[in-house]
């Protein structure tokens, strides 16, 4: 009886853990290729176009004299990286409205594009980028 139970558990576990990941079919790939949907998860994430990261470039664009208050300010930034690498639909939120406006202005002045858009199945897709950004005013 113990051997039968062991055999049953062995067969059940091999069936459960032996499943293969299904490769997407051509219809799924074609949908992704034509899609204008905004994705939050991708196979290959976007890469910013310079050696400096997006956050480093943004830090250099902030005009510290535009904010009267001192101390550390934080905002949450979200925008869509289009298939061509441009940034659209920029939104900045946080407790300090003047800092949020300065961050939005700084992002709008950034001329560099993202080298690659997000990719799914090897096709470029629109990707929603979200990050927290902090800056300390002295």
């Amino acid at each position: 009886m113990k051997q039968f139970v062991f055999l049953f558990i062995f067969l059940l576990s091999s069936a459960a853990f032996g499943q293969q990941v299904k490769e997407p079919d051509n219809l799924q790939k074609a949908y992704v290729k034509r899609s204008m949907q905004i994705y939050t998860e991708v196979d290959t994430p976007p890469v910013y176009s310079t050696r400096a990261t997006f956050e480093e470039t943004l830090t250099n664009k902030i005009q510290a004299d535009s904010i009267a208050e001192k101390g550390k300010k934080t905002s949450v930034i979200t925008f869509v990286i289009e298939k061509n690498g441009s940034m659209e639909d920029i939104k900045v939120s946080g407790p300090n409205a003047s800092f949020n406006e300065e961050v939005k202005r700084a992002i709008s002045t950034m001329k560099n594009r993202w080298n690659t858009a997000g990719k799914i199945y090897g096709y470029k897709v629109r990707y929603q980028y979200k990050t927290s950004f902090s800056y300390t005013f002295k």
Side-chain angles (χ1 to χ4, degrees), residues 18-134:
Q19 296 178 4
Q20 294 180 345
V21 177
K22 184 181 174 188
E23 180 69 23
D25 60 18
N26 289 338
L27 187 60
Q28 289 171 313
K29 288 181 180 180
Y31 173 77
V32 169
K33 183 177 181 179
R34 293 188 321 266
S35 176
M36 290 305 291
Q37 179 178 341
I38 298 171
Y39 293 88
T40 56
E41 293 182 21
V42 292
D43 299 336
T44 307
V47 176
Y48 194 62
S49 62
T50 64
R51 290 181 186 217
T53 65
F54 170 77
E55 288 80 7
E56 291 170 341
T57 306
L58 179 57
T59 299
N60 294 333
K61 294 280 186 179
I62 297 290
Q63 294 177 352
D65 56 346
S66 66
I67 306 295
E69 301 171 29
K70 304 299 179 202
K72 185 176 183 178
K73 308 294 180 214
T74 303
S75 290
V76 175
I77 304 166
T78 59
F79 55 86
V80 175
I81 301 171
E82 297 291 337
K83 292 179 181 183
N84 67 1
S86 65
M87 295 179 282
E88 300 293 331
D89 196 23
I90 301 166
K91 296 177 185 170
V92 182
S93 61
N96 189 307
S98 59
F99 179 62
N100 294 342
E101 287 301 316
E102 176 58 21
V103 170
K104 190 169 185 176
R105 184 207 60 79
I107 292 172
S108 298
T109 64
M110 295 170 75
K111 304 252 188 272
N112 295 333
R113 293 180 176 220
W114 294 73
N115 275 346
T116 60
K119 291 184 180 181
I120 298 178
Y121 309 134
Y123 297 112
K124 293 180 181 181
V125 295
R126 299 172 75 207
Y127 178 73
Q128 182 176 14
Y129 186 84
K130 183 176 183 177
T131 188
S132 178
F133 179 74
S134 297

